Amino acid sequence: MIEEVCKNIFRITVPLPNNALSAVNTYLVKGDERSVLVDTGFDLPISSSVLRRALELLQVPPDRLDIFITHQHPDHAGAAYSIVAPGALAYSHCAPDGSSLDFIRFSFEEQERLVRKLLSAAEPTWKSHRVESEEKIFERHIISWPIPESGFKRVDEGDVISAGGYDFCCILTPGHCDTHTCLYDEKSGIFISGDHVLKDITPHIVDVNLEMKNLSRYLKSLKKITDLPVSSVMPAHGSIFTGLRERCEEIALHHEQRIKDIMTLIDCGNNTLGNIASNCIWNTRNVPWNELSVEMRIFAYGETYAHLSYMLNERLIEIVETDGQEIFYRA
Ligand SMILES: [Zn+2]
Ligand SMILES: [Zn+2]
C-alpha cells in the first residue's frame, strides 16, 4: 500500500510474512534530484518486489534513490542490499569502531550466540529437548549485507539528510538497538521514529546479557526526544500519530509498572529468569505461555532480562549464582 502522508513523503507498507508485526512502514521522501527511502523490510523477495513496484509507480528511478536505515534489525535493514543501486548510498549509524560493514554482519552472528545462551539460561532443558522447527528461528535472524563499502555512509548525531524540501536531522536513540537513529525535520515538525516510539505497541527492549543495560539507555533516549516540538510521528510499525510527549510518558510508565510487577514476582518466590518471564503478563492474544512459539518466548526472556539488568543497576535487586543458575532477590 502506498499513501502520501505529507507533501513529498509516501508511506509504503512492506509485509513481514510469518511475523507478529505483520508489516513495516517504509517512508519515501521524494525529491527532484534524489529521493531517500527510510527502511526496507526483511531480506525476502516480497520486500524488494513491493518496493520496486512502488518506486516505479512513484516514478523514482533506482539510480536516484538513497536509503536510510533507522537500525540494523532484519525488518528494517534486511532488503537494503537488494534495493540500493550501484553508486547510491545506504545511510546508517553503526558502532564507533564499526566503520566496516563486517561489524553489522558480525553483530548478527554474535547476537545468535547470545540468544542461544539466553534461551538455555531460561529453559535449562531446551538444549536437550529442542525441536527442529524451533531451531529454524535462527535462520531468519541472520541477514546478509553485501553492500559495497563505498555505498555505505555512516551517519552521526546532528547529520542532516535533505530531500523533498525537508532537512532531516539524525538523532541517535540507542536502546531498542545500539545503532537506532530517528529523523527530525524541525521546520515541519515531522519525526520519523523507527522503532523508538510506536503508537500501537511498546517498543521491544531486550538484553541478552546483564551488562547491556538497554533499558537504561532506552529510557534516556526516550527523555531526549520527549520535548521535541513534533507535528506528526511516523513510526516503522502501526499508525502515524500526534502527541509524542504523551506517548513517551505512557511508554515510560509501562516500564515502571513492569519493574513493580517483577519485584512482586521475586517477592513471591519466582527467582529465576524462566520463572519471572513465564509469570509476567504479556500481550499474547490469549495464547497461554506453554503454547507460545520459541520466538515469542525469546522476546519475553530478553525483555525480562532487560528489566532485571535495570533493577540490578538501580540496586533494587541482587543476584546470586547457584549451580550455574542466576537467582534474583530483593536487595
Ligand atoms: Zn527494531
Ligand atoms: Zn521493527
Side-chain angles (χ1 to χ4, degrees):
M1 195 176 80
I2 310 170
E3 189 191 348
E4 187 166 17
V5 289
C6 216
K7 189 170 186 272
N8 293 338
I9 302 184
F10 297 83
R11 171 164 65 172
I12 307 164
T13 312
V14 177
L16 300 174
N18 305 319
N19 188 281
L21 289 168
S22 77
V24 60
N25 298 324
T26 70
Y27 296 96
L28 177 78
V29 187
K30 195 179 173 193
D32 293 333
E33 284 303 310
R34 298 194 71 78
S35 300
V36 177
L37 176 71
V38 181
D39 288 333
T40 64
F42 277 142
D43 180 13
L44 290 175
I46 188 154
S47 313
S48 35
S49 68
V50 166
L51 288 171
R52 282 219 180 86
R53 178 85 189 111
L55 294 170
E56 217 175 277
L57 287 168
L58 295 169
Q59 298 177 322
V60 175
D63 59 345
R64 292 213 187 161
L65 179 77
D66 297 315
I67 57 171
F68 180 90
I69 301 300
T70 57
H71 62 295
Q72 276 88 24
H73 281 168
D75 53 329
H76 299 256
Y81 79 93
S82 61
I83 292 300
V84 73
L89 292 176
Y91 296 101
S92 187
H93 181 60
C94 60
D97 57 346
S99 54
S100 156
L101 287 178
D102 284 346
F103 169 79
I104 293 164
R105 210 173 53 79
F106 169 78
S107 71
F108 278 99
E109 284 161 7
E110 176 66 1
Q111 204 168 313
E112 180 189 332
R113 191 184 66 77
L114 292 169
V115 166
R116 283 177 186 275
K117 213 174 135 203
L118 176 78
L119 189 57
S120 305
E123 299 180 16
T125 54
W126 186 78
K127 241 186 215 163
S128 48
H129 293 105
R130 68 187 170 199
V131 280
E132 224 166 80
S133 62
E134 294 208 332
E135 265 291 313
K136 281 198 168 36
I137 174 75
F138 296 108
E139 288 174 16
R140 255 187 294 151
H141 281 273
I142 304 291
I143 62 161
S144 46
W145 185 313
I147 294 175
E149 202 136 343
S150 58
F152 178 71
K153 181 90 177 98
R154 179 196 158 108
V155 292
D156 270 301
E157 181 78 23
D159 285 351
V160 175
I161 292 165
S162 301
Y166 298 94
D167 296 307
F168 280 107
C169 181
C170 296
I171 303 180
L172 301 187
T173 43
H176 170 76
C177 176
D178 277 357
T179 57
H180 199 290
T181 310
C182 295
L183 291 174
Y184 175 56
D185 176 64
E186 201 178 352
K187 215 166 27 174
S188 65
I190 290 173
F191 184 66
I192 301 182
S193 64
D195 281 357
H196 185 48
V197 188
L198 305 169
K199 175 71 180 165
D200 309 322
I201 50 169
T202 311
H204 191 43
I205 311 301
V206 168
D207 277 357
V208 287
N209 65 52
L210 291 171
E211 282 76 54
M212 292 179 99
K213 302 185 174 60
N214 278 334
L215 184 56
S216 307
R217 301 165 78 208
Y218 176 76
L219 293 173
K220 211 168 143 199
S221 296
L222 204 58
K223 272 208 183 107
K224 183 178 177 183
I225 53 119
T226 299
D227 292 327
L228 283 181
V230 160
S231 60
S232 179
V233 184
M234 301 189 182
H237 306 283
S239 351
I240 291 175
F241 63 99
T242 54
L244 177 68
R245 162 183 286 279
E246 290 75 14
R247 187 58 190 140
C248 288
E249 285 168 356
E250 271 172 23
I251 293 172
L253 211 65
H254 161 88
H255 291 293
E256 245 174 66
Q257 186 57 48
R258 171 115 318 166
I259 287 164
K260 282 184 194 156
D261 293 347
I262 289 177
M263 194 58 115
T264 307
L265 285 169
I266 289 175
D267 286 343
C268 292
N270 298 283
N271 301 90
T272 64
L273 171 63
N275 279 341
I276 296 165
S278 60
N279 285 294
C280 276
I281 296 165
W282 304 101
N283 182 10
T284 60
R285 298 187 182 115
N286 296 327
V287 180
W289 175 266
N290 52 12
E291 287 172 27
L292 285 183
S293 67
V294 67
E295 189 171 19
M296 296 298 286
R297 293 191 329 263
I298 289 170
F299 281 156
Y301 295 137
E303 185 102 21
T304 305
Y305 223 33
H307 286 81
L308 288 168
S309 145
Y310 179 88
M311 292 164 82
L312 276 167
N313 204 36
E314 295 290 309
R315 299 185 197 284
L316 299 171
I317 56 171
E318 284 171 0
I319 185 171
V320 176
E321 216 171 299
T322 311
D323 297 330
Q325 194 168 31
E326 292 169 339
I327 314 283
F328 300 93
Y329 297 100
R330 182 189 274 269

